[in-house]
Amino acid sequence: MLLLRSAASALLRTTTEISSLRPLFTARFVRLSLHHPPGRRQFSASVSLCNKKQRSLWLQLKEGQTMGDGNFEEILAPLRQAVKEQGDLVRKMKQEGAPDVDVTKAVAELKARKRTLEAKELSLQPKDDIVDRTKMEDTLKRRFFYDQAFAIYGGVSGLYDFGPVGCALKNNILQVWRQHFIQEEQILEIDCTMLTPEPVLKTSGHVEKFADYMVKDVKNGECFRADHLLKAHLQKLMSDKKCAAEKKAEMDSVITQLDNYSQQELTDLFVKYNVKSPTTGNELTAPISFNLMFQTSIGPGGNMPGYLRPETAQGIFLNFKRLLEFNQGKLPFAAAQIGNSFRNEISPRSGLIRVREFTMAEIEHFVDPNEKIHPKFSSVADLDIMLYSSKAQTSGQSAHIMRLGDAVEQGVINNSVLGYFIGRIYLYLTKVGVAKDKLRFRQHMDNEMAHYACDCWDAETKTSYGWIEIVGCADRSCYDLKCHARATKVPLVAEKPLKEPKTVNVVQFEPNKGAIGKAYKKDAKLAMEYLAVCDECFIAEQEQLLNDNGEFTIETEGKTFTLTKDMVGVKRFQKTLHVEEVVPSVIEPSFGIGRIMYTIFEHTFHIREGDEQRTYFSFPATVAPYKCSVLPLSQNQEFMPFVKELSEAMTKNGVSHKVDDSSGSIGRRYARTDEIGVAFGITIDFDTVNKTPHTATLRDRDSMRQIRAEVDKLPVIVRDLANGTLTWAEVESEYPIFEGQETSKKDTIEE
């Protein structure tokens, strides 16, 4: 009962932390957000979500009141039922064609109930499953894994510098990524510029829609993200014991809908609840839309506006034609890029999880939309992975372990290409140190996906902040290539020879050159070129506008053209093809390296049993910052030739190592190397000097067990351990366990 009370009291804190981490770190998350800009939908008060009795019970559960004795599932049952009822309501509203505003409100309520169910599940789990974040962050800062950038000038939020250990760890994580994906999958790697001209990001939608609402302190100019500040303010008001239940329910409803309010609605809410600056108490400006890209000018004249890229993927799309040529014009193929992206966060938080500059690793796998079958899927089909399907989420169920092959066969995952990459992502993450039991793949619900996406899954990890997204894997269809082809008038297609000629229906614009020329003079050519490369889907949309309104508008090279029925028509005809043009679909795995690093920190951080002061990171040897330490037992000069010999041999074998010949006990130096995650340690003692063949001890960081082996064999053993071709158990079976040295300095003198 005590555990349940403790878990219940933690519910609101957990809910707050989880909801504060909106999925905005990867390029795919960025691009999906472009199609759901803030404040585009109004709400109707007509939708009834639940009756007063249900609402009352729901609020009690959100506030952490327990249901009495019973197991966890009995406690979670009402929350699961509430999610299921809301999910059923959403489905029913969609089937019956309810107004979009009502569906949107119902979906927002569904998301809120899901978050609360998840928070409750987390709060009821054993406390020893949660890392001591304060102690871990102290270790990270003290040993300079990373620290706030420009610290001696006071620091800048959301920007971090990696120290020697953090830099080595990050490079190793990326090196394993290259080996696992680029080399094993024969992916084409490119490296594109971080400066991006404005027209590119206009086409992708970033210039217009990549924004959040913010407010400013009217006196000192301090900025706050509007939805985060309003939420924190309302939660503070709700925590007041004097707050009436009716008022509390009203504010809870506002928090539920925060992601969907328009700019004017947010303004009204700030006035209604008298929101002030949390740091100064000063008045705030009305919410304004703030584009999250860093703007700059390219060239000295300032005539070419540009931005630091908000994602790495656009460079791959723009180079599609060259990459296709490099691949002999064949589909499928994949391209990848590793590099930094930038996002001018209004209020960065949570360390490496929400930052302004971050490293991404992205893959764009181009495939024929009619042939989404991966030939290597069988190699991952038998993996058992924790999946959290869209259906499970809307039914109030938990994530459950499922064989990947079954998930594709049953249609849970849309196709085997997407399924293959989910399997490969799983193998990579567990290889670099993510705990299997704290990793799941969550499917996006229909309302979360952009209209063009076929299926989207996020790799999420459980941390002290709750479940956070670290990798996205989406089937984006052919949207990006079509957008850039339309804007540049360059066809971004692949050609596929047909076994037999086939007759196809063709839809094209039929421009009236005379009418367009008369209206737009010398600019008419631009309009004609644009109309010549439009795809069938776009033509159908504009034809509808032409029929409904008598005109439609296009924009190309900074000029806008309004075309009427007398200027353009639509022509349909048939033609025989021997070669088919294919606009490829894109499967996009997108990795947030900073978030992966943070997850590894939490999942590998430990405190030695019986000694609260001794902490260590159990990084897998493949990504450990240093594979091995070389430690002379003391500063005795007789040890130094062996230190030099081992160091040189380690370097020749490509083993990163750290020599620690400082003063201090060997136990203290073991602790120092354990603290930064060094996987193994070689100790040179008096037995090394006194006996032949010369031997030294090799220590395993996690078990602290040691073996003794010949000095010239140790570099190769460590290399094979670091590469994963040898296990510690195999080493112990081949070499004698070290119990203690048999000789001493005195023995050396006597000899």
Side-chain angles (χ1 to χ4, degrees):
M1 189 65 183
L2 182 61
L3 172 62
L4 298 183
R5 288 198 187 102
S6 174
S9 66
L11 177 58
L12 281 179
R13 293 197 302 276
T14 313
T15 307
T16 301
E17 288 183 326
I18 290 172
S19 60
S20 69
L21 297 171
R22 292 169 59 191
L24 295 169
F25 81 98
T26 67
R28 184 181 53 75
F29 299 137
V30 166
R31 288 204 293 282
L32 290 184
S33 70
L34 301 182
H35 301 275
H36 301 284
R40 289 298 178 91
R41 294 173 176 168
Q42 305 291 320
F43 290 149
S44 164
S46 62
V47 61
S48 175
L49 301 176
C50 51
N51 61 41
K52 290 183 179 179
K53 183 176 180 181
Q54 290 172 316
R55 186 73 180 176
S56 174
L57 174 61
W58 179 247
L59 284 173
Q60 287 174 14
L61 288 168
K62 283 192 73 173
E63 290 166 7
Q65 295 181 16
T66 65
M67 301 294 293
D69 294 324
N71 61 36
F72 288 173
E73 278 305 313
E74 288 176 344
I75 297 170
L76 294 172
L79 293 174
R80 296 196 191 284
Q81 182 61 27
V83 171
K84 183 179 184 303
E85 288 176 0
Q86 193 65 19
D88 292 342
L89 174 61
V90 169
R91 279 188 288 272
K92 182 180 179 183
M93 293 174 72
K94 287 182 177 179
Q95 291 169 358
E96 295 177 353
D100 284 347
V101 291
D102 291 350
V103 173
T104 302
K105 188 172 182 179
V107 167
E109 173 68 17
L110 174 60
K111 287 182 180 179
R113 294 185 178 199
K114 273 181 56 209
R115 284 195 297 267
T116 304
L117 170 60
E118 192 166 90
K120 189 69 173 178
E121 286 181 306
L122 287 170
S123 71
L124 293 176
Q125 291 175 6
K127 297 302 177 188
D128 58 8
D129 192 39
I130 300 173
V131 71
D132 186 336
R133 194 199 306 165
T134 302
K135 185 165 285 192
M136 182 193 76
E137 289 179 345
D138 173 69
T139 302
L140 292 172
K141 185 172 183 179
R142 182 164 42 80
R143 298 310 304 267
F144 195 17
F145 278 81
Y146 66 91
D147 199 5
Q148 194 170 38
F150 316 108
I152 64 174
Y153 279 88
V156 178
S157 297
L159 298 176
Y160 292 92
D161 293 333
F162 290 94
V165 186
C167 190
L169 176 67
K170 180 180 176 183
N171 287 338
N172 290 341
I173 290 171
L174 290 174
Q175 181 55 39
V176 174
W177 192 90
R178 279 193 168 96
Q179 170 67 37
H180 187 83
F181 290 105
I182 292 175
Q183 294 180 27
E184 292 185 26
E185 304 296 336
Q186 298 187 19
I187 292 173
L188 310 177
E189 184 177 6
I190 64 173
D191 186 2
C192 301
T193 175
M194 290 184 282
L195 282 173
T196 309
E198 186 176 58
V200 173
L201 294 169
K202 271 191 173 180
T203 299
S204 66
H206 288 82
V207 172
E208 181 185 356
K209 300 172 182 175
F210 188 49
D212 281 334
Y213 290 127
M214 76 170 184
V215 292
K216 282 186 178 182
D217 186 312
V218 295
K219 292 187 178 179
N220 66 13
E222 186 178 3
C223 298
F224 304 92
R225 185 162 152 175
D227 57 344
H228 289 175
L229 181 57
L230 179 59
K231 180 177 180 179
H233 180 74
L234 294 180
Q235 287 175 333
K236 183 179 179 181
L237 295 178
M238 291 167 66
S239 65
D240 189 341
K241 294 180 180 179
K242 296 179 182 178
C243 184
E246 186 178 340
K247 195 72 176 175
K248 190 177 290 188
E250 175 192 298
M251 289 186 283
D252 182 73
S253 179
V254 171
I255 292 174
T256 297
Q257 314 296 343
L258 268 181
D259 288 347
N260 300 284
Y261 285 125
S262 68
Q263 186 173 355
Q264 184 56 51
E265 287 172 323
L266 276 175
T267 301
D268 295 341
L269 289 167
F270 268 73
V271 172
K272 178 178 180 179
Y273 293 106
N274 194 29
V275 185
K276 307 287 186 184
S277 167
T279 56
T280 64
N282 294 334
E283 296 288 335
L284 297 167
T285 64
I288 58 172
S289 182
F290 175 71
N291 191 286
L292 298 174
M293 291 189 293
F294 286 94
Q295 189 168 15
T296 186
S297 294
I298 303 173
N303 298 322
M304 185 184 291
Y307 299 88
L308 292 177
R309 64 185 179 193
E311 63 185 28
T312 59
Q314 294 303 319
I316 300 176
F317 296 135
L318 299 182
N319 283 290
F320 168 76
K321 196 170 183 180
R322 299 299 307 276
L323 290 164
L324 181 65
E325 290 171 1
F326 187 86
N327 201 53
Q328 290 84 48
K330 297 177 182 177
L331 289 178
F333 75 91
Q337 182 170 195
I338 298 172
N340 281 14
S341 297
F342 304 84
R343 178 184 174 86
N344 198 9
E345 286 282 354
I346 297 168
S347 51
R349 61 181 68 189
S350 308
L352 296 180
I353 294 176
R354 185 180 293 280
V355 293
R356 288 178 166 137
E357 179 181 359
F358 47 94
T359 302
M360 302 178 67
E362 288 195 286
I363 298 169
E364 307 297 334
H365 181 85
F366 299 99
V367 61
D368 186 329
N370 298 316
E371 297 178 6
K372 290 183 182 178
I373 300 172
H374 203 289
K376 292 167 64 178
F377 179 68
S378 59
S379 66
V380 298
D382 289 329
L383 289 174
D384 291 322
I385 298 178
M386 187 180 294
L387 300 179
Y388 196 18
S389 68
S390 173
K391 182 178 179 181
Q393 293 171 68
T394 56
S395 302
Q397 299 171 13
S398 298
H400 66 282
I401 294 173
M402 190 173 190
R403 181 178 170 273
L404 195 55
D406 294 338
V408 172
E409 288 173 13
Q410 296 172 23
V412 177
I413 297 173
N414 185 272
N415 56 77
S416 70
V417 180
L418 188 61
Y420 177 73
F421 277 105
I422 288 174
R424 293 291 291 164
I425 291 166
Y426 172 84
L427 291 173
Y428 168 73
L429 292 175
T430 53
K431 183 188 295 185
V432 296
V434 174
K436 291 182 180 180
D437 59 339
K438 296 181 181 179
L439 171 64
R440 73 182 185 189
F441 285 79
R442 186 186 72 83
Q443 186 178 31
H444 281 209
M445 296 188 295
D446 291 343
N447 58 283
E448 292 180 272
M449 289 193 292
H451 62 88
Y452 51 80
C454 299
D455 197 6
C456 299
W457 291 79
D458 296 338
E460 297 183 332
T461 52
K462 190 170 77 170
T463 69
S464 59
Y465 290 105
W467 289 94
I468 62 171
E469 299 105 54
I470 61 172
V471 184
C473 192
D475 183 339
R476 296 180 48 77
S477 70
C478 52
Y479 176 80
D480 301 281
L481 292 178
K482 282 187 174 181
C483 284
H484 288 298
R486 191 181 303 134
T488 61
K489 298 179 281 292
V490 175
L492 300 177
V493 297
E495 290 187 346
K496 183 173 73 171
L498 295 173
K499 294 179 180 178
E500 296 180 1
K502 73 174 183 179
T503 302
V504 297
N505 296 318
V506 179
V507 181
Q508 292 179 348
F509 278 124
E510 189 173 29
N512 183 334
K513 296 181 181 179
I516 295 176
K518 184 177 179 181
Y520 292 107
K521 305 294 189 292
K522 63 180 182 180
D523 291 334
K525 184 180 178 183
L526 294 175
M528 303 281 287
E529 290 175 347
Y530 185 93
L531 294 174
V533 297
C534 291
D535 58 78
E536 183 177 341
C537 182
F538 179 77
I539 293 171
E541 292 173 359
Q542 305 314 307
E543 183 181 28
Q544 188 64 47
L545 289 174
L546 207 59
N547 294 333
D548 294 345
N549 306 326
E551 64 181 33
F552 66 88
T553 300
I554 61 172
E555 186 176 327
T556 179
E557 296 190 18
K559 298 183 182 297
T560 301
F561 301 88
T562 300
L563 303 176
T564 57
K565 284 186 175 181
D566 64 319
M567 295 181 184
V568 65
V570 175
K571 179 171 68 174
R572 289 177 169 81
F573 59 95
Q574 291 186 329
K575 70 176 181 180
T576 302
L577 299 177
H578 298 273
V579 175
E580 183 180 20
E581 286 190 344
V582 175
V583 182
S585 285
V586 178
I587 310 295
E588 181 189 72
S590 183
F591 298 72
I593 301 303
R595 288 191 169 201
I596 291 172
M597 281 185 72
Y598 182 80
T599 295
I600 294 171
F601 287 144
E602 282 214 7
H603 289 191
T604 61
F605 181 73
H606 305 284
I607 300 172
R608 290 286 184 203
E609 189 174 347
D611 189 348
E612 288 287 317
Q613 300 307 310
R614 289 190 64 177
T615 62
Y616 69 101
F617 288 99
S618 60
F619 302 128
T622 49
V623 297
Y626 300 100
K627 311 307 179 191
C628 187
S629 58
V630 180
L631 310 171
L633 189 62
S634 69
Q635 292 183 312
N636 189 307
Q637 289 304 304
E638 292 179 278
F639 298 146
M640 294 308 123
F642 296 99
V643 171
K644 183 179 179 182
E645 177 188 343
L646 278 165
S647 182
E648 289 176 352
M650 291 281 191
T651 301
K652 286 180 181 178
N653 280 277
V655 177
S656 61
H657 61 283
K658 183 176 177 62
V659 175
D660 186 354
D661 56 2
S662 60
S663 60
S665 69
I666 192 68
R668 180 171 295 180
R669 282 182 286 156
Y670 282 151
R672 277 205 300 258
T673 58
D674 289 351
E675 200 171 39
I676 60 173
V678 179
F680 306 101
I682 296 174
T683 304
I684 299 158
D685 58 15
F686 287 104
D687 282 357
T688 309
V689 177
N690 297 336
K691 292 188 172 186
T692 54
H694 298 293
T695 62
T697 66
L698 178 65
R699 174 182 180 271
D700 173 58
R701 174 201 58 214
D702 295 347
S703 67
M704 297 190 294
R705 290 166 64 88
Q706 299 185 55
I707 59 96
R708 192 160 200 107
E710 293 179 24
V711 168
D712 58 357
K713 291 183 179 179
L714 286 171
V716 175
I717 295 172
V718 175
R719 182 197 65 192
D720 293 344
L721 284 168
N723 292 340
T725 57
L726 184 67
T727 66
W728 181 254
E730 290 171 335
V731 172
E732 284 196 352
S733 67
E734 185 173 347
Y735 296 95
I737 299 297
F738 173 68
E739 302 291 348
Q741 68 175 341
E742 298 174 0
T743 63
S744 66
K745 183 177 180 180
K746 182 179 179 182
D747 298 328
T748 308
I749 295 171
E750 288 175 353
E751 290 175 7

